[in-house]
Amino acid sequence: MEVRTIVEECLELWRDPYPRLARLGEEGERPVGVFCSYTPEEILHAAGLTPVRLMGAVRAITHADAHLQAYCCSLARTDLDMALAGELSFLEGAVFVQTCDTMMRLSDIWRRNTGFSYHGDLVLPIRMGEEVSLPFLIEEVKRFRRGVEGFLGREIGDDALEESIRVYNRNRRLADRLYRLRASRPGAIDGLSATACLVAGFWMRREKHNELLHGLLEDLEGSEPIGGDGKLPLLVSGSVCTTPDLFELLLELGADVVDDDLCCGHRYFDAFVDESAPPEEALAKRMWERVNCPAKHQCIEDRFQRLVRQVGDSGAKGVVFYLQSFCEPHLFDIPYLRQCLQEELEVPSLVLESELQSFSRGQLRTRLQAFIETISGV
Amino acid sequence: MSEDVRELTEEEKADKERRKIKSAGAMRELMTKYYIEAKGAEGTKRHIAWITSGAPVEPLIAFDVIPVYPENHGAMCGAAHMNVELCEVAEGRGFSRDLCSYARGDIGSAITRGGPIGGLPRPTFLVACNNICNTVFKWYEELARFFDVPLFIFDTPFVRGELPEHLAAYSVRQMHEYVSFLEKMTRKEYDDARFVDVAAKSLFASALWKEVLACNEHRPAPMTCFDAFILMAPIVTLRGTQEVVDFYQGVLEEMKRRIEEGIGILPSERYRLLWDNIPVWYEMRNLGRLFMELETCLVADTYTSAWTFEGVDAEKPLESMARIYTEVYLNINLERMADKIESLATRFGVDGMIMHSNRSCKPYSLGQYDLAKEFTRRTGKPALIIEADHTDSRWYDRAQVETRIRDFVENLLGSGL
């Protein structure tokens, strides 16, 4: 398939994955919703389930307001709203990884008010990367596996789990190759297309996504750069981008995303699962040592220094923080992250907040335009 | 409202005096002494640790470290109507208005030394426990950067259903680590006998506090939960010391005496309500007046009872405390919270519940809509949810909240529905 066709299809999925997800059942797949990049998707995959990412939707809230206050993030509110409206009935259930206070409570609210047959909880420590928490995390992963087995009514074989780990590791290698290609050959693929091809994987069986990425890379690596140089290089940091709008607008405005620190981007595929260790231990270890979500306290690599390094390496001239309104973990880090970028690299940054129930492309455009003009004017 | 304007008659004055809780004076003395000592320790050889309200403080007391509570200070700033200006300082530094107002106010106070007592004394290290929320560790990470001091995080993952063994084991490992951290900070050795003594005092004070709160099962109630919000300061900040034990013994005696003499906190008690969530600190006086006018007593709450610990094994204080601190009210699932609310409602014989939907506290507030429904389903009593913020009054609409409370009491409770 041609690069352009692949990218188009991925973009379409990113714009609205739900029609596609609703058809998965007809194709014999058993989708389970996941919200978080810490979800040990390999266990679901090995169980014959298809993990699909729920990243909210641009929509007005009609049902969720009876259960969640307006000061809670729009990811939780719109996801719950879809579930209560019966629009996620294609799911067998969902997995709640407890990263923040909202996810911790959403799990109970979801369980009590929706009728899915499967409900998974994974409780994470916040002290990632410290010896004291690893045994707890390994036991949690084991408990999570037992929960899935209980739902299936059968055991998940170690062989199957090890195979799923290999499939997901291959996916991480391919994603990493895509990001490296983008960095080493400017103009080979823009940020919008690269990210679209990555996130499209959230809504398909992982083997299929591996094929897609492999085909894409073969084509890209064998062809000449299609141009697109001369765009202002930027880095995007934050949680998830529910829609491609941010990336599209940046391209339209003469900028391009050269790297990201998003949990639907670089943070999703960071670090591998050790294929030689016992599977649960290896899965836990990856979560424990990977670049952390700001809802976790990480001791191995400081998130601030990592971002400074990433910005330096990618040559980004500015950073766009794209966060969910009311997201405490991200909002707490913002002042210091911006200070580090300014003091160590003199890189300016912009903070944008996403509220899916009142999403305004026009407003987003105005603010991005002003930011880009400021940097270009320097 | 008219009470603000009208002079009280001699009789009314005497009655008001008779109803006043005398222990409040002793509490003010105790807390003033504590803050003077803590502030005086700054710059001396004594160690000062800033600590979250739900964290195990007993090890600090056992190591002679002075514990300082930004949350208690936040409540004080809120009650003094000074927290908004402190929040604005933090907001000026880029902290979002959507972050917890305790955290914003505290960061503002650390920068400016503002607030009713001129800020808190500088910490030598920090202790944060996320059993009350995950906000605290982000907040304390910021404090650790600001003061450039070590931070110990006591991590208590969320408990669903029964406390699982691997989680209990994680807590116990951290309790030991916490002790080693304190040994390093203070260059003192852990003394088991001293710790057992502190733990025993803490437990004793906590048992007394529980008895104090239970006095409100009596009709008329000898105090409201607004009084409990004030009287709880020592159990939060200084449990583990003899002074606190003595103080609560005094409070308990006073409450028992009030019950014997039939002295209720309100001149007239028609309705009894349960309160959920942290107080609206800047609005205590107005709300207190409103409830008095409505002859409604807030007899119990889910907040103050968080400091009543149970099940400590004196033989293994570190281990059992680790478990207890992991299973506090805000760290358990909604069904377990509903059990607790139901049990309070039954014990205290309430006619309904008021829930403060607190913009600054997600773990306490998200799930309240479901809990309210569950409360009514289980008890047959109504619940009202009001919107506010514990210390940022900019999010508070007094007229609207008061109207809703009035309607709730007059129409819903008054009609017997």
PDB file of all heavy atoms in Angstrom, chain A residues 67 69 71 104-105 108 111 113 126-127 132 140 294 297 328 333, chain B residues 100 135 138 141 155 160 166 173 177 330 334-335 357 363 365 370:
ATOM      1  N   HIS A  67     -23.011  11.667  37.311  1.00  0.00           N
ATOM      2  CA  HIS A  67     -22.066  10.852  38.083  1.00  0.00           C
ATOM      3  C   HIS A  67     -20.728  11.529  38.352  1.00  0.00           C
ATOM      4  O   HIS A  67     -20.020  11.166  39.284  1.00  0.00           O
ATOM      5  CB  HIS A  67     -21.807   9.530  37.358  1.00  0.00           C
ATOM      6  CG  HIS A  67     -23.056   8.743  37.134  1.00  0.00           C
ATOM      7  ND1 HIS A  67     -23.585   7.905  38.088  1.00  0.00           N
ATOM      8  CD2 HIS A  67     -23.911   8.707  36.092  1.00  0.00           C
ATOM      9  CE1 HIS A  67     -24.703   7.373  37.622  1.00  0.00           C
ATOM     10  NE2 HIS A  67     -24.926   7.845  36.418  1.00  0.00           N
ATOM     11  N   GLN A  69     -18.538  15.317  38.536  1.00  0.00           N
ATOM     12  CA  GLN A  69     -18.600  16.772  38.603  1.00  0.00           C
ATOM     13  C   GLN A  69     -17.903  17.388  37.389  1.00  0.00           C
ATOM     14  O   GLN A  69     -17.055  16.750  36.763  1.00  0.00           O
ATOM     15  CB  GLN A  69     -17.912  17.264  39.881  1.00  0.00           C
ATOM     16  CG  GLN A  69     -18.749  17.072  41.134  1.00  0.00           C
ATOM     17  CD  GLN A  69     -18.468  15.762  41.845  1.00  0.00           C
ATOM     18  OE1 GLN A  69     -18.065  14.783  41.220  1.00  0.00           O
ATOM     19  NE2 GLN A  69     -18.665  15.732  43.151  1.00  0.00           N
ATOM     20  N   TYR A  71     -15.658  19.533  37.406  1.00  0.00           N
ATOM     21  CA  TYR A  71     -14.230  19.785  37.604  1.00  0.00           C
ATOM     22  C   TYR A  71     -13.384  18.535  37.462  1.00  0.00           C
ATOM     23  O   TYR A  71     -12.299  18.437  38.019  1.00  0.00           O
ATOM     24  CB  TYR A  71     -13.967  20.498  38.933  1.00  0.00           C
ATOM     25  CG  TYR A  71     -14.629  19.884  40.149  1.00  0.00           C
ATOM     26  CD1 TYR A  71     -14.107  18.757  40.774  1.00  0.00           C
ATOM     27  CD2 TYR A  71     -15.773  20.462  40.688  1.00  0.00           C
ATOM     28  CE1 TYR A  71     -14.700  18.221  41.882  1.00  0.00           C
ATOM     29  CE2 TYR A  71     -16.376  19.926  41.808  1.00  0.00           C
ATOM     30  CZ  TYR A  71     -15.839  18.805  42.402  1.00  0.00           C
ATOM     31  OH  TYR A  71     -16.438  18.271  43.516  1.00  0.00           O
ATOM     32  N   MET A 104      -9.101   6.389  39.707  1.00  0.00           N
ATOM     33  CA  MET A 104      -9.391   5.546  40.867  1.00  0.00           C
ATOM     34  C   MET A 104     -10.894   5.551  41.171  1.00  0.00           C
ATOM     35  O   MET A 104     -11.503   4.512  41.385  1.00  0.00           O
ATOM     36  CB  MET A 104      -8.566   6.113  42.013  1.00  0.00           C
ATOM     37  CG  MET A 104      -8.906   5.713  43.380  1.00  0.00           C
ATOM     38  SD  MET A 104      -7.782   6.633  44.471  1.00  0.00           S
ATOM     39  CE  MET A 104      -8.959   7.654  45.350  1.00  0.00           C
ATOM     40  N   ARG A 105     -11.519   6.723  41.130  1.00  0.00           N
ATOM     41  CA  ARG A 105     -12.953   6.796  41.413  1.00  0.00           C
ATOM     42  C   ARG A 105     -13.790   6.405  40.194  1.00  0.00           C
ATOM     43  O   ARG A 105     -14.860   5.825  40.332  1.00  0.00           O
ATOM     44  CB  ARG A 105     -13.331   8.219  41.848  1.00  0.00           C
ATOM     45  CG  ARG A 105     -12.792   8.591  43.216  1.00  0.00           C
ATOM     46  CD  ARG A 105     -13.664   8.033  44.333  1.00  0.00           C
ATOM     47  NE  ARG A 105     -13.063   8.329  45.628  1.00  0.00           N
ATOM     48  CZ  ARG A 105     -12.692   7.405  46.506  1.00  0.00           C
ATOM     49  NH1 ARG A 105     -12.858   6.121  46.264  1.00  0.00           N
ATOM     50  NH2 ARG A 105     -12.154   7.759  47.654  1.00  0.00           N
ATOM     51  N   ASP A 108     -14.926   2.710  40.037  1.00  0.00           N
ATOM     52  CA  ASP A 108     -16.115   2.336  40.817  1.00  0.00           C
ATOM     53  C   ASP A 108     -17.387   2.816  40.138  1.00  0.00           C
ATOM     54  O   ASP A 108     -18.375   2.092  40.061  1.00  0.00           O
ATOM     55  CB  ASP A 108     -16.068   2.969  42.221  1.00  0.00           C
ATOM     56  CG  ASP A 108     -15.093   2.253  43.135  1.00  0.00           C
ATOM     57  OD1 ASP A 108     -14.673   1.129  42.795  1.00  0.00           O
ATOM     58  OD2 ASP A 108     -14.745   2.819  44.186  1.00  0.00           O
ATOM     59  N   ARG A 111     -18.120   0.742  37.049  1.00  0.00           N
ATOM     60  CA  ARG A 111     -18.555  -0.617  37.419  1.00  0.00           C
ATOM     61  C   ARG A 111     -19.999  -0.619  37.912  1.00  0.00           C
ATOM     62  O   ARG A 111     -20.794  -1.499  37.585  1.00  0.00           O
ATOM     63  CB  ARG A 111     -17.617  -1.188  38.488  1.00  0.00           C
ATOM     64  CG  ARG A 111     -17.997  -2.565  39.006  1.00  0.00           C
ATOM     65  CD  ARG A 111     -16.939  -3.167  39.923  1.00  0.00           C
ATOM     66  NE  ARG A 111     -16.343  -2.224  40.854  1.00  0.00           N
ATOM     67  CZ  ARG A 111     -16.950  -1.762  41.938  1.00  0.00           C
ATOM     68  NH1 ARG A 111     -18.169  -2.159  42.250  1.00  0.00           N
ATOM     69  NH2 ARG A 111     -16.341  -0.892  42.731  1.00  0.00           N
ATOM     70  N   ASN A 113     -22.404   1.514  37.240  1.00  0.00           N
ATOM     71  CA  ASN A 113     -23.430   2.076  36.375  1.00  0.00           C
ATOM     72  C   ASN A 113     -23.462   1.560  34.940  1.00  0.00           C
ATOM     73  O   ASN A 113     -24.315   1.955  34.163  1.00  0.00           O
ATOM     74  CB  ASN A 113     -23.304   3.607  36.347  1.00  0.00           C
ATOM     75  CG  ASN A 113     -23.555   4.218  37.720  1.00  0.00           C
ATOM     76  OD1 ASN A 113     -24.689   4.229  38.203  1.00  0.00           O
ATOM     77  ND2 ASN A 113     -22.504   4.671  38.377  1.00  0.00           N
ATOM     78  N   ILE A 126       2.994   4.648  43.371  1.00  0.00           N
ATOM     79  CA  ILE A 126       3.483   5.891  42.763  1.00  0.00           C
ATOM     80  C   ILE A 126       5.003   5.945  42.775  1.00  0.00           C
ATOM     81  O   ILE A 126       5.592   6.686  42.004  1.00  0.00           O
ATOM     82  CB  ILE A 126       2.906   7.175  43.419  1.00  0.00           C
ATOM     83  CG1 ILE A 126       3.159   7.224  44.912  1.00  0.00           C
ATOM     84  CG2 ILE A 126       1.445   7.351  43.087  1.00  0.00           C
ATOM     85  CD1 ILE A 126       2.870   8.599  45.505  1.00  0.00           C
ATOM     86  N   ARG A 127       5.610   5.147  43.652  1.00  0.00           N
ATOM     87  CA  ARG A 127       7.084   5.190  43.735  1.00  0.00           C
ATOM     88  C   ARG A 127       7.696   4.270  42.694  1.00  0.00           C
ATOM     89  O   ARG A 127       8.145   3.168  43.000  1.00  0.00           O
ATOM     90  CB  ARG A 127       7.535   4.804  45.140  1.00  0.00           C
ATOM     91  CG  ARG A 127       7.108   5.814  46.188  1.00  0.00           C
ATOM     92  CD  ARG A 127       7.543   5.403  47.583  1.00  0.00           C
ATOM     93  NE  ARG A 127       8.986   5.313  47.697  1.00  0.00           N
ATOM     94  CZ  ARG A 127       9.602   4.914  48.822  1.00  0.00           C
ATOM     95  NH1 ARG A 127       8.897   4.579  49.879  1.00  0.00           N
ATOM     96  NH2 ARG A 127      10.915   4.852  48.860  1.00  0.00           N
ATOM     97  N   VAL A 132      11.679  -0.779  46.649  1.00  0.00           N
ATOM     98  CA  VAL A 132      10.628  -1.081  47.622  1.00  0.00           C
ATOM     99  C   VAL A 132       9.276  -1.386  46.964  1.00  0.00           C
ATOM    100  O   VAL A 132       8.477  -2.153  47.493  1.00  0.00           O
ATOM    101  CB  VAL A 132      10.516   0.085  48.643  1.00  0.00           C
ATOM    102  CG1 VAL A 132       9.944   1.349  47.987  1.00  0.00           C
ATOM    103  CG2 VAL A 132       9.702  -0.283  49.862  1.00  0.00           C
ATOM    104  N   GLU A 140       0.645  -7.258  41.699  1.00  0.00           N
ATOM    105  CA  GLU A 140      -0.525  -6.638  41.080  1.00  0.00           C
ATOM    106  C   GLU A 140      -0.724  -7.153  39.654  1.00  0.00           C
ATOM    107  O   GLU A 140      -1.846  -7.402  39.231  1.00  0.00           O
ATOM    108  CB  GLU A 140      -0.370  -5.106  41.046  1.00  0.00           C
ATOM    109  CG  GLU A 140      -0.997  -4.378  42.199  1.00  0.00           C
ATOM    110  CD  GLU A 140      -2.496  -4.617  42.342  1.00  0.00           C
ATOM    111  OE1 GLU A 140      -3.250  -4.270  41.440  1.00  0.00           O
ATOM    112  OE2 GLU A 140      -2.902  -5.169  43.378  1.00  0.00           O
ATOM    113  N   PRO A 294       3.272  11.810  34.819  1.00  0.00           N
ATOM    114  CA  PRO A 294       3.437  12.693  35.982  1.00  0.00           C
ATOM    115  C   PRO A 294       2.599  12.282  37.193  1.00  0.00           C
ATOM    116  O   PRO A 294       2.811  12.799  38.288  1.00  0.00           O
ATOM    117  CB  PRO A 294       3.015  14.068  35.462  1.00  0.00           C
ATOM    118  CG  PRO A 294       2.444  13.869  34.127  1.00  0.00           C
ATOM    119  CD  PRO A 294       2.836  12.537  33.623  1.00  0.00           C
ATOM    120  N   HIS A 297       5.753   9.033  40.750  1.00  0.00           N
ATOM    121  CA  HIS A 297       7.004   9.626  41.216  1.00  0.00           C
ATOM    122  C   HIS A 297       8.138   8.747  40.702  1.00  0.00           C
ATOM    123  O   HIS A 297       8.220   7.569  41.060  1.00  0.00           O
ATOM    124  CB  HIS A 297       6.993   9.667  42.747  1.00  0.00           C
ATOM    125  CG  HIS A 297       8.217  10.264  43.347  1.00  0.00           C
ATOM    126  ND1 HIS A 297       8.456  11.621  43.337  1.00  0.00           N
ATOM    127  CD2 HIS A 297       9.277   9.704  43.976  1.00  0.00           C
ATOM    128  CE1 HIS A 297       9.604  11.863  43.946  1.00  0.00           C
ATOM    129  NE2 HIS A 297      10.122  10.717  44.340  1.00  0.00           N
ATOM    130  N   GLU A 328      -4.542  17.303  37.529  1.00  0.00           N
ATOM    131  CA  GLU A 328      -3.597  17.772  38.541  1.00  0.00           C
ATOM    132  C   GLU A 328      -2.149  17.321  38.306  1.00  0.00           C
ATOM    133  O   GLU A 328      -1.243  18.126  38.394  1.00  0.00           O
ATOM    134  CB  GLU A 328      -4.065  17.342  39.939  1.00  0.00           C
ATOM    135  CG  GLU A 328      -5.265  18.132  40.425  1.00  0.00           C
ATOM    136  CD  GLU A 328      -5.238  18.383  41.921  1.00  0.00           C
ATOM    137  OE1 GLU A 328      -4.607  17.602  42.654  1.00  0.00           O
ATOM    138  OE2 GLU A 328      -5.841  19.370  42.360  1.00  0.00           O
ATOM    139  N   ASP A 333       3.278  19.988  37.277  1.00  0.00           N
ATOM    140  CA  ASP A 333       4.635  20.007  36.717  1.00  0.00           C
ATOM    141  C   ASP A 333       4.908  21.207  35.814  1.00  0.00           C
ATOM    142  O   ASP A 333       6.065  21.530  35.545  1.00  0.00           O
ATOM    143  CB  ASP A 333       4.874  18.725  35.895  1.00  0.00           C
ATOM    144  CG  ASP A 333       5.157  17.519  36.797  1.00  0.00           C
ATOM    145  OD1 ASP A 333       5.263  17.712  38.027  1.00  0.00           O
ATOM    146  OD2 ASP A 333       5.277  16.405  36.269  1.00  0.00           O
TER     147      ASP A 333
ATOM    148  N   CYS B 100      -5.536  22.013  43.714  1.00  0.00           N
ATOM    149  CA  CYS B 100      -6.033  22.076  45.090  1.00  0.00           C
ATOM    150  C   CYS B 100      -5.646  23.405  45.752  1.00  0.00           C
ATOM    151  O   CYS B 100      -4.496  23.831  45.695  1.00  0.00           O
ATOM    152  CB  CYS B 100      -5.447  20.911  45.882  1.00  0.00           C
ATOM    153  SG  CYS B 100      -5.606  21.074  47.652  1.00  0.00           S
ATOM    154  N   THR B 135      -2.704  14.225  45.073  1.00  0.00           N
ATOM    155  CA  THR B 135      -2.279  15.615  44.979  1.00  0.00           C
ATOM    156  C   THR B 135      -1.058  15.850  45.866  1.00  0.00           C
ATOM    157  O   THR B 135      -0.141  16.567  45.487  1.00  0.00           O
ATOM    158  CB  THR B 135      -3.422  16.549  45.457  1.00  0.00           C
ATOM    159  OG1 THR B 135      -4.550  16.325  44.619  1.00  0.00           O
ATOM    160  CG2 THR B 135      -3.022  17.998  45.413  1.00  0.00           C
ATOM    161  N   LYS B 138       2.513  15.395  44.468  1.00  0.00           N
ATOM    162  CA  LYS B 138       2.910  16.397  43.478  1.00  0.00           C
ATOM    163  C   LYS B 138       3.222  17.724  44.190  1.00  0.00           C
ATOM    164  O   LYS B 138       4.202  18.399  43.887  1.00  0.00           O
ATOM    165  CB  LYS B 138       1.785  16.632  42.464  1.00  0.00           C
ATOM    166  CG  LYS B 138       1.407  15.448  41.618  1.00  0.00           C
ATOM    167  CD  LYS B 138       2.560  14.865  40.826  1.00  0.00           C
ATOM    168  CE  LYS B 138       3.101  15.789  39.746  1.00  0.00           C
ATOM    169  NZ  LYS B 138       4.250  15.178  39.028  1.00  0.00           N
ATOM    170  N   GLU B 141       6.479  17.341  45.989  1.00  0.00           N
ATOM    171  CA  GLU B 141       7.609  17.371  45.042  1.00  0.00           C
ATOM    172  C   GLU B 141       7.995  18.823  44.785  1.00  0.00           C
ATOM    173  O   GLU B 141       9.176  19.168  44.720  1.00  0.00           O
ATOM    174  CB  GLU B 141       7.210  16.721  43.707  1.00  0.00           C
ATOM    175  CG  GLU B 141       7.223  15.202  43.700  1.00  0.00           C
ATOM    176  CD  GLU B 141       6.763  14.592  42.369  1.00  0.00           C
ATOM    177  OE1 GLU B 141       6.218  15.321  41.518  1.00  0.00           O
ATOM    178  OE2 GLU B 141       6.945  13.386  42.186  1.00  0.00           O
ATOM    179  N   ASP B 155       3.967   5.523  50.234  1.00  0.00           N
ATOM    180  CA  ASP B 155       3.045   5.236  49.136  1.00  0.00           C
ATOM    181  C   ASP B 155       2.011   4.193  49.560  1.00  0.00           C
ATOM    182  O   ASP B 155       2.365   3.065  49.905  1.00  0.00           O
ATOM    183  CB  ASP B 155       3.887   4.738  47.951  1.00  0.00           C
ATOM    184  CG  ASP B 155       3.058   4.398  46.727  1.00  0.00           C
ATOM    185  OD1 ASP B 155       1.879   4.796  46.662  1.00  0.00           O
ATOM    186  OD2 ASP B 155       3.606   3.742  45.819  1.00  0.00           O
ATOM    187  N   ARG B 160      -9.060  -1.891  47.191  1.00  0.00           N
ATOM    188  CA  ARG B 160     -10.393  -2.318  46.740  1.00  0.00           C
ATOM    189  C   ARG B 160     -10.800  -3.540  47.533  1.00  0.00           C
ATOM    190  O   ARG B 160     -10.108  -4.547  47.486  1.00  0.00           O
ATOM    191  CB  ARG B 160     -10.346  -2.704  45.262  1.00  0.00           C
ATOM    192  CG  ARG B 160     -10.316  -1.528  44.411  1.00  0.00           C
ATOM    193  CD  ARG B 160     -10.496  -1.777  42.946  1.00  0.00           C
ATOM    194  NE  ARG B 160     -10.260  -0.498  42.337  1.00  0.00           N
ATOM    195  CZ  ARG B 160     -11.129   0.499  42.376  1.00  0.00           C
ATOM    196  NH1 ARG B 160     -12.310   0.326  42.898  1.00  0.00           N
ATOM    197  NH2 ARG B 160     -10.832   1.667  41.880  1.00  0.00           N
ATOM    198  N   HIS B 166      -0.143  -8.389  49.586  1.00  0.00           N
ATOM    199  CA  HIS B 166       1.037  -7.784  48.941  1.00  0.00           C
ATOM    200  C   HIS B 166       1.060  -6.272  49.125  1.00  0.00           C
ATOM    201  O   HIS B 166       2.123  -5.664  49.154  1.00  0.00           O
ATOM    202  CB  HIS B 166       1.141  -8.180  47.460  1.00  0.00           C
ATOM    203  CG  HIS B 166       0.027  -7.702  46.579  1.00  0.00           C
ATOM    204  ND1 HIS B 166      -1.220  -8.279  46.563  1.00  0.00           N
ATOM    205  CD2 HIS B 166      -0.024  -6.713  45.661  1.00  0.00           C
ATOM    206  CE1 HIS B 166      -1.981  -7.650  45.677  1.00  0.00           C
ATOM    207  NE2 HIS B 166      -1.290  -6.703  45.114  1.00  0.00           N
ATOM    208  N   ARG B 173       7.074  -2.584  54.466  1.00  0.00           N
ATOM    209  CA  ARG B 173       8.451  -2.322  54.009  1.00  0.00           C
ATOM    210  C   ARG B 173       8.742  -0.817  54.065  1.00  0.00           C
ATOM    211  O   ARG B 173       9.829  -0.402  54.460  1.00  0.00           O
ATOM    212  CB  ARG B 173       8.631  -2.792  52.555  1.00  0.00           C
ATOM    213  CG  ARG B 173       8.816  -4.280  52.378  1.00  0.00           C
ATOM    214  CD  ARG B 173       9.423  -4.629  51.012  1.00  0.00           C
ATOM    215  NE  ARG B 173       8.629  -4.197  49.870  1.00  0.00           N
ATOM    216  CZ  ARG B 173       7.562  -4.841  49.393  1.00  0.00           C
ATOM    217  NH1 ARG B 173       7.160  -5.957  49.970  1.00  0.00           N
ATOM    218  NH2 ARG B 173       6.917  -4.382  48.336  1.00  0.00           N
ATOM    219  N   GLU B 177      11.448   1.516  56.058  1.00  0.00           N
ATOM    220  CA  GLU B 177      12.264   2.452  55.286  1.00  0.00           C
ATOM    221  C   GLU B 177      12.141   3.875  55.861  1.00  0.00           C
ATOM    222  O   GLU B 177      13.117   4.632  55.918  1.00  0.00           O
ATOM    223  CB  GLU B 177      11.725   2.426  53.855  1.00  0.00           C
ATOM    224  CG  GLU B 177      12.709   2.762  52.786  1.00  0.00           C
ATOM    225  CD  GLU B 177      12.002   2.934  51.451  1.00  0.00           C
ATOM    226  OE1 GLU B 177      10.752   2.873  51.390  1.00  0.00           O
ATOM    227  OE2 GLU B 177      12.707   3.134  50.466  1.00  0.00           O
ATOM    228  N   LEU B 330     -10.445   7.708  52.637  1.00  0.00           N
ATOM    229  CA  LEU B 330     -10.377   8.152  51.237  1.00  0.00           C
ATOM    230  C   LEU B 330      -9.632   7.182  50.336  1.00  0.00           C
ATOM    231  O   LEU B 330      -9.562   7.378  49.134  1.00  0.00           O
ATOM    232  CB  LEU B 330      -9.718   9.537  51.156  1.00  0.00           C
ATOM    233  CG  LEU B 330     -10.560  10.672  51.709  1.00  0.00           C
ATOM    234  CD1 LEU B 330      -9.838  11.995  51.552  1.00  0.00           C
ATOM    235  CD2 LEU B 330     -11.920  10.741  51.016  1.00  0.00           C
ATOM    236  N   LEU B 334     -15.908   2.866  46.702  1.00  0.00           N
ATOM    237  CA  LEU B 334     -17.178   3.519  47.036  1.00  0.00           C
ATOM    238  C   LEU B 334     -18.086   2.657  47.915  1.00  0.00           C
ATOM    239  O   LEU B 334     -18.761   3.178  48.799  1.00  0.00           O
ATOM    240  CB  LEU B 334     -17.931   3.908  45.759  1.00  0.00           C
ATOM    241  CG  LEU B 334     -17.343   5.049  44.926  1.00  0.00           C
ATOM    242  CD1 LEU B 334     -18.224   5.328  43.708  1.00  0.00           C
ATOM    243  CD2 LEU B 334     -17.199   6.334  45.744  1.00  0.00           C
ATOM    244  N   GLU B 335     -18.097   1.358  47.693  1.00  0.00           N
ATOM    245  CA  GLU B 335     -18.975   0.502  48.502  1.00  0.00           C
ATOM    246  C   GLU B 335     -18.556   0.529  49.971  1.00  0.00           C
ATOM    247  O   GLU B 335     -19.404   0.591  50.867  1.00  0.00           O
ATOM    248  CB  GLU B 335     -18.950  -0.943  47.982  1.00  0.00           C
ATOM    249  CG  GLU B 335     -19.696  -1.142  46.665  1.00  0.00           C
ATOM    250  CD  GLU B 335     -18.944  -0.629  45.439  1.00  0.00           C
ATOM    251  OE1 GLU B 335     -17.749  -0.265  45.566  1.00  0.00           O
ATOM    252  OE2 GLU B 335     -19.560  -0.584  44.350  1.00  0.00           O
ATOM    253  N   SER B 357     -19.418  19.119  47.669  1.00  0.00           N
ATOM    254  CA  SER B 357     -18.676  18.760  46.463  1.00  0.00           C
ATOM    255  C   SER B 357     -17.538  19.757  46.366  1.00  0.00           C
ATOM    256  O   SER B 357     -17.730  20.920  46.053  1.00  0.00           O
ATOM    257  CB  SER B 357     -19.608  18.834  45.253  1.00  0.00           C
ATOM    258  OG  SER B 357     -18.849  18.828  44.076  1.00  0.00           O
ATOM    259  N   PRO B 363     -10.511  12.953  45.209  1.00  0.00           N
ATOM    260  CA  PRO B 363     -10.815  11.654  45.809  1.00  0.00           C
ATOM    261  C   PRO B 363     -12.003  11.703  46.773  1.00  0.00           C
ATOM    262  O   PRO B 363     -12.713  10.734  46.944  1.00  0.00           O
ATOM    263  CB  PRO B 363      -9.528  11.267  46.545  1.00  0.00           C
ATOM    264  CG  PRO B 363      -8.703  12.487  46.590  1.00  0.00           C
ATOM    265  CD  PRO B 363      -9.132  13.376  45.474  1.00  0.00           C
ATOM    266  N   SER B 365     -14.550  13.927  46.427  1.00  0.00           N
ATOM    267  CA  SER B 365     -15.763  14.419  45.777  1.00  0.00           C
ATOM    268  C   SER B 365     -16.252  13.574  44.606  1.00  0.00           C
ATOM    269  O   SER B 365     -17.460  13.414  44.433  1.00  0.00           O
ATOM    270  CB  SER B 365     -15.533  15.858  45.311  1.00  0.00           C
ATOM    271  OG  SER B 365     -15.076  16.645  46.387  1.00  0.00           O
ATOM    272  N   ASP B 370     -22.987   9.198  43.223  1.00  0.00           N
ATOM    273  CA  ASP B 370     -23.368   7.796  43.413  1.00  0.00           C
ATOM    274  C   ASP B 370     -23.564   7.469  44.889  1.00  0.00           C
ATOM    275  O   ASP B 370     -24.461   6.719  45.261  1.00  0.00           O
ATOM    276  CB  ASP B 370     -22.312   6.862  42.800  1.00  0.00           C
ATOM    277  CG  ASP B 370     -22.440   6.787  41.282  1.00  0.00           C
ATOM    278  OD1 ASP B 370     -22.144   7.801  40.618  1.00  0.00           O
ATOM    279  OD2 ASP B 370     -22.877   5.746  40.763  1.00  0.00           O
TER     280      ASP B 370
END
